[in-house]
Each structure stands twice: as C-alpha cells, then as structure tokens.
Amino acid sequence: MAPPLDNLRVLDFSRILAGPFATMQLADLGATVTKIERPGRGDDTRSWGPPHDERGQATYFQSVNRNKNSLVLDLTDEHDRARARQLATEADVVVENFRPGLMAEFGLDYDQLRPGNPGLVYCSITGFGRGAGAAMPGYDLLIQALGGLMSITGDPGGEPQKVGVAVVDVLTGLFATTGILGALYHRRATGRGQRIDVDLFSCLLAGLVNQASAFTSAGVVAKRMGNRHPSIAPYELLPCADGNLVLAVGNDRQFTALCKVLGAPELAADDRFGTNPDRVANRQALHAELVRLLAARPAAEWTKELTEARVPAGVVNDIAGAFALAQDLGLDPIVEVPRPDGTTVAVPRNPVNYSETPPAYYSAPPDLPERER
C-alpha cells in the first residue's frame, strides 16, 4: 500500500533542527523531500560534532535528515535562484527558516511564489515571529531562557537549567508538521494553499501547558522545584538503599497501592496524605516518610514490586539504558537505514505506528553533493 504522503513534493530550505525535524516526519510518511544546502558546507549540523559515526559524519545531522535528497544551490547566485524558484513552483510544500525577509530578497517568499503555484503550502519557521522580534536570532537555549523554561528547571537553590536536548526545536518541528498537514487537508477541500507561520517562542509558551495556564488563568508564576511537581505528590526522585527511585503517583489508588507495597498501609489513611491535595499540602512530611521506608531496599527491587502493583516507578536510566529498556519492551526503538554503498546507519525510529501505512526508511541522511552547474 502506498504511504500516506506518497507523491507529495517538499522543498526544504531549512537548516539545523526544527525545520529538518518537520520535513523528516513528512519524509517518513512517504513525501519526496529535497533538501537545499549551501555550497561547500551544507547544513550547519554537518559540522556539529563530536560525536561522529565510523564514517566521520556528525550524528547531529543524521538525527533529522533521513529519507531526503540533497541539492546544493547558492541562493546568492541568479542561476541557482532561478532553479530554486522552478522547484518551488512544482512543489506542494516549501519549508524555510531563514531570517524574516531574506526569502523575499531571493524571490522565494510565499507572496512571490503563490501566483505560479496557488496550491502551495508554505511554512516559515522563525525564532520570534515576523514582527517586532524578526531580527532576534532564534537558538534553542536562548528561547528556553527567554521563554521561561529555564526558570522552572533545576533545583530551587541552584541556577536555572536548560533541558538536556533542544526541546523547543523539537516542539516547533512537531507544531510545524501539524500545521502543514492541516493546510494540506484544507487544500484538498479547496484547492488553495496558504502560508503557515510558526515561531519557536510561541511554541515554547504553548508547550509549557499546565505551567503556562497556571499563570494565564490564575496568575501563578511557577518556580524551580527540582524533580517535584507543583500539583501532584509524590512525584519526585527519592533515595533508596543503593540509588534513586522515581515515583510518579498520579491518583489516590496508586498512592494506596504504594503504601501497601512499602509495608505502611496506614499512610493512605493518614489525614495528611489521604487525597492528592492533602499530599501536596504536606509534601515535606510525606517526603520524610517515603525516604525512611524506601531506605530498606534497593531501587531495582522497589521498581519491580511497584510496577507489578501498577504504581508508576522506575530507576533513572542513561540513554543506553533507555534504549535497552525499549528493546526489552518490544518497541524496536532503532532502525537501520540503508546508504547507497550498501552499509547502513542506525537511527531512532519514528514513534508513530500506523496499522496500514507505517513509516518507512528509504535512505540514510544524504552526503553533501557537488553544486549543480
């Protein structure tokens, strides 16, 4: 059966992470994605290393560029710009993340392309929008800082912390993918394309979810709480006999089961801990009780018993441990994507499962070709 986006043509001018992540989602679902790269250097992430694989290629670039073709064009060259305009006229989707205004200078913005391609879906990804923030550079760390995420990440007495991966770029890539698919659905009904504007700053604010609505709806400005949760308890990292255990108790049934496994069923009947609001109000006293009880046994033993009792609990894996667990659970987290020379590159698989048209892995992230003449 043909993949869901079979015959969809995507012209990808984006670089680094958010845009390439979005176009990789489309490519995994069958779209033909042509990645436009600069002569000589290509996408910035081709040089973002270490780490590198056994062929010396940056693993950062490999993370978001499978299933794509690469075409080298110099957009400052009139001939190459004409080639890019021709490709855009034939495309279903264009994705770009240049600074606002630059694509217009190249004659490749939506307004100039639309007359020749009225069905074009054109997605622009910026850091802070195309208005007053147009000149501001949009790097993930900066967005995490200005967008409030660092203010709620880290220990209460420590410095603000960034998340350990470029989560704003990933969120933005997912929002961009959703926007593109929605616009394609609209085009199917009307025959008309449209422009989509997605900015990293707004995507982070939307991605703050409950922490954002605490402010917008109740005026509450969240602070750093380490590994604790502002609205749930116990929901934190706790020491055991030989290491740490994560507990993510989301309801009263789970708390009752937790207390039973710990050999302290009376805690569930304690007026201080009977309901989640009670536990949040008395989190320090609850923390002390849990630390005392958990000290009796290793974290792995607690994890086994609590999981059997359907209490969300686990140890803190490193990334290798996380992939090993996914493999043990039958999730097949790694795919081998073929290269033209017959070798393969191992990358994380697309997590979306379709019963009829699953994602496919046609080709490894492309080598940088020579510029067309």
Side-chain angles (χ1 to χ4, degrees), residues 175-221:
F175 277 120
T177 303
T178 302
I180 290 167
L181 294 176
L184 289 170
Y185 191 84
H186 174 264
R187 187 183 75 168
R188 182 178 179 182
T190 67
R192 297 194 304 273
Q194 60 185 297
R195 182 175 59 211
I196 304 162
D197 284 306
V198 183
D199 70 88
L200 276 72
F201 195 65
S202 295
C203 288
L204 174 54
L205 296 181
L208 292 175
V209 288
N210 59 299
Q211 298 284 39
S213 65
F215 169 70
T216 60
S217 299
V220 174
V221 178

Side-chain angles (χ1 to χ4, degrees), residues 5-14 19-36 67-71 84 87-96 117 120-123 176-177 180-181 184 187:
L5 299 182
D6 191 36
N7 296 321
L8 187 77
R9 296 160 299 180
V10 179
L11 190 61
D12 182 11
F13 292 96
S14 67
F21 187 82
T23 56
M24 185 177 73
Q25 309 310 306
L26 303 177
D28 286 353
L29 299 181
T32 298
V33 177
T34 301
K35 182 179 180 68
I36 304 301
N67 290 340
K68 302 178 185 180
N69 306 306
S70 181
L71 176 64
L87 292 170
T89 300
E90 300 167 353
D92 299 292
V93 178
V94 166
V95 179
E96 63 90 11
N117 188 357
L120 179 65
V121 171
Y122 191 104
C123 181
T177 303
I180 290 167
L181 294 176
L184 289 170
R187 187 183 75 168

Side-chain angles (χ1 to χ4, degrees), residues 63-133:
S63 68
V64 290
N65 286 293
R66 64 172 174 250
N67 290 340
K68 302 178 185 180
N69 306 306
S70 181
L71 176 64
V72 171
L73 294 177
D74 181 357
L75 297 182
T76 66
D77 177 85
E78 183 177 354
H79 176 269
D80 284 11
R81 285 198 304 272
R83 172 70 170 138
R85 282 193 293 271
Q86 175 194 352
L87 292 170
T89 300
E90 300 167 353
D92 299 292
V93 178
V94 166
V95 179
E96 63 90 11
N97 63 350
F98 287 108
R99 62 171 173 80
L102 186 58
M103 290 296 272
E105 295 176 19
F106 293 148
L108 291 166
D109 63 317
Y110 177 69
D111 289 337
Q112 294 183 70
L113 294 176
R114 178 176 55 180
N117 188 357
L120 179 65
V121 171
Y122 191 104
C123 181
S124 292
I125 299 172
T126 62
F128 298 89
R130 296 191 299 139

Side-chain angles (χ1 to χ4, degrees), residues 135-282:
M136 298 173 65
Y139 280 83
D140 189 277
L141 175 61
L142 179 63
I143 306 291
Q144 288 197 37
L146 296 178
L149 183 56
M150 290 179 67
S151 76
I152 59 173
T153 306
D155 291 327
E159 67 178 8
Q161 293 285 321
K162 72 176 182 67
V163 180
V165 72
V167 66
V168 180
D169 280 314
V170 173
L171 276 172
T172 303
L174 291 173
F175 277 120
T177 303
T178 302
I180 290 167
L181 294 176
L184 289 170
Y185 191 84
H186 174 264
R187 187 183 75 168
R188 182 178 179 182
T190 67
R192 297 194 304 273
Q194 60 185 297
R195 182 175 59 211
I196 304 162
D197 284 306
V198 183
D199 70 88
L200 276 72
F201 195 65
S202 295
C203 288
L204 174 54
L205 296 181
L208 292 175
V209 288
N210 59 299
Q211 298 284 39
S213 65
F215 169 70
T216 60
S217 299
V220 174
V221 178
K223 303 297 182 183
R224 291 191 298 282
M225 298 183 65
N227 291 309
R228 291 180 172 179
H229 194 287
S231 307
I232 309 172
Y235 196 98
E236 57 190 295
L237 189 70
L238 293 155
C240 299
D242 70 338
N244 294 312
L245 177 78
V246 163
L247 282 177
V249 175
N251 58 52
D252 297 340
R253 183 210 65 77
Q254 292 173 353
F255 183 70
T256 298
L258 167 67
C259 295
K260 183 177 180 181
V261 171
L262 294 180
E266 67 278 4
L267 284 182
D270 191 314
D271 289 342
R272 297 173 297 169
F273 312 134
T275 68
N276 181 67
D278 295 329
R279 294 191 292 275
V280 171
N282 296 284

Side-chain angles (χ1 to χ4, degrees), residues 15 306 366:
R15 306 96 61 217
L306 290 168

